[in-house]
Amino acid sequence: MTLVIATGGIDLSVGSVMAISGAVACLLISDLGNQNSVGSVLLIIGVAIVVSLVLGLWNGALVAAVGIQPIIATLILMVAGRGVAQLITDGQIINVQSSPYATIATGFFLAMPVAFLIAVGAVVLTVLLTRRTALGLLLESVGGSPTASRLAGIRSRRITVMTYVVSGGLAGLAGLIYSANIKSADSISAGNLIELDAILAVVIGGTALIGGRFSIAGTVIGALLIQTLGVTVVAVGVPSKATLLFKAVIVVALCLSQSATFRQKVFGRIKPRPATAVRAEVPA
């Protein structure tokens, strides 16, 4: 989501992609004669990731090639994708009993949770690609001005499509972890409203909603704050449904804080500092 917003876009379909990815994986695993076959499970995970990448490519094509507004283009998959997931599962919850598949969510490697290692790997790889190469600068230039970047020779459409493909692939990976954790595919609950958390984490982390500036580390901190908020609300006895209200209030506050017009009306225009006269020394 950070990369998509950095280009001035938005992806509302990540929750539906999660549901589709988990549904595809659980459906194929349930048809296996031996659900504990490591090779077969890895192949199915690969298939689910490929499906997620294709869904991301669909979003990117609608935005970059067709020219549909990102919020509308991804809203299409957000609505239709949930229905596709229900068609895959036939409206039922598909349960699986696969130890290799459950490992990606509940397993441990070197005393560390596998799911945590996957998340760390995704973050590190993204940081290396965006901060150790020119990709980050290209993303910021496209988000700042797609037209100007295109005139400067940057393939802005290709970069935009790439960000949606990455978003789809990582959403699919999250869907696999979610379904592996509960050992089933729930096409209704999987990823429900998760796009709100994703967008909120990105904005809290300092990424501008208008694009052009992003921070992966800030997004990680934002995600941790959101999870802390959810746990704290439950711990103090507030109904869990009220968490959505708190998140909505935070989103509104952050959007207003990024509005120059709002800041000007509330805090007033900042007076520029008077220019200091410079005395020229004329040589004799």
Side-chain angles (χ1 to χ4, degrees), residues 12-24 51 55 58-59 73-89 186-188 190-191:
L12 301 179
S13 66
V14 290
S16 296
V17 174
M18 283 182 60
I20 293 176
S21 175
V24 169
V51 171
L55 294 175
W58 165 263
N59 284 333
T74 57
L75 182 63
I76 295 173
L77 185 57
M78 175 186 178
V79 177
R82 189 69 59 177
V84 170
Q86 294 186 30
L87 288 175
I88 294 175
T89 61
D186 188 349
S187 58
I188 297 178

Side-chain angles (χ1 to χ4, degrees), residues 1-276:
M1 186 67 74
T2 304
L3 302 182
V4 170
I5 294 180
T7 61
I10 200 78
D11 191 352
L12 301 179
S13 66
V14 290
S16 296
V17 174
M18 283 182 60
I20 293 176
S21 175
V24 169
C26 289
L27 177 64
L28 295 178
I29 291 176
S30 65
D31 291 336
L32 290 177
N34 180 15
Q35 295 188 11
N36 292 320
S37 173
V38 177
S40 300
V41 171
L42 290 177
L43 179 60
I44 290 173
I45 290 176
V47 171
I49 294 295
V50 170
V51 171
S52 302
L53 293 173
V54 172
L55 294 175
L57 179 62
W58 165 263
N59 284 333
L62 290 181
V63 173
V66 182
I68 301 178
Q69 290 292 328
I71 192 171
I72 301 300
T74 57
L75 182 63
I76 295 173
L77 185 57
M78 175 186 178
V79 177
R82 189 69 59 177
V84 170
Q86 294 186 30
L87 288 175
I88 294 175
T89 61
D90 197 22
Q92 305 296 322
I93 295 179
I94 301 178
N95 298 312
V96 295
Q97 298 297 327
S98 174
S99 298
Y101 186 60
T103 300
I104 65 176
T106 60
F108 287 84
F109 179 74
L110 299 178
M112 299 291 290
V114 174
F116 174 76
L117 295 176
I118 293 174
V120 171
V123 171
V124 171
L125 181 60
T126 304
V127 170
L128 291 177
L129 290 177
T130 56
R131 296 310 182 190
R132 296 300 180 181
T133 68
L135 180 59
L137 181 61
L138 296 178
L139 287 172
E140 292 177 340
S141 64
V142 171
S145 177
T147 303
S149 61
R150 178 174 55 84
L151 294 177
I154 300 175
R155 299 179 181 272
S156 57
R157 292 183 178 178
R158 181 176 297 181
I159 292 176
T160 300
V161 172
M162 179 201 67
T163 58
Y164 282 96
V165 171
V166 173
S167 177
L170 293 179
L173 180 59
L176 293 177
I177 296 175
Y178 177 85
S179 61
N181 186 41
I182 63 176
K183 297 182 180 180
S184 63
D186 188 349
S187 58
I188 297 178
S189 299
N192 186 32
L193 298 179
I194 197 67
E195 51 275 347
L196 174 63
D197 288 343
I199 297 171
L200 183 56
V202 173
V203 176
I204 290 177
T207 300
L209 284 173
I210 60 176
R213 185 184 76 247
F214 70 95
S215 172
I216 301 298
T219 298
V220 174
I221 295 174
L224 294 176
L225 288 176
I226 292 173
Q227 185 62 22
T228 302
L229 174 64
V231 174
T232 302
V233 169
V234 176
V236 298
V238 179
S240 59
K241 294 181 179 179
T243 306
L244 297 176
L245 177 60
F246 284 99
K247 293 178 180 178
V249 172
I250 294 176
V251 170
V252 173
L254 290 172
C255 290
L256 291 177
S257 67
Q258 292 190 9
S259 172
T261 303
F262 176 80
R263 292 198 303 267
Q264 179 179 341
K265 291 182 177 180
V266 174
F267 302 105
R269 180 174 298 178
I270 300 177
K271 296 182 179 180
R273 296 178 60 185
T276 304

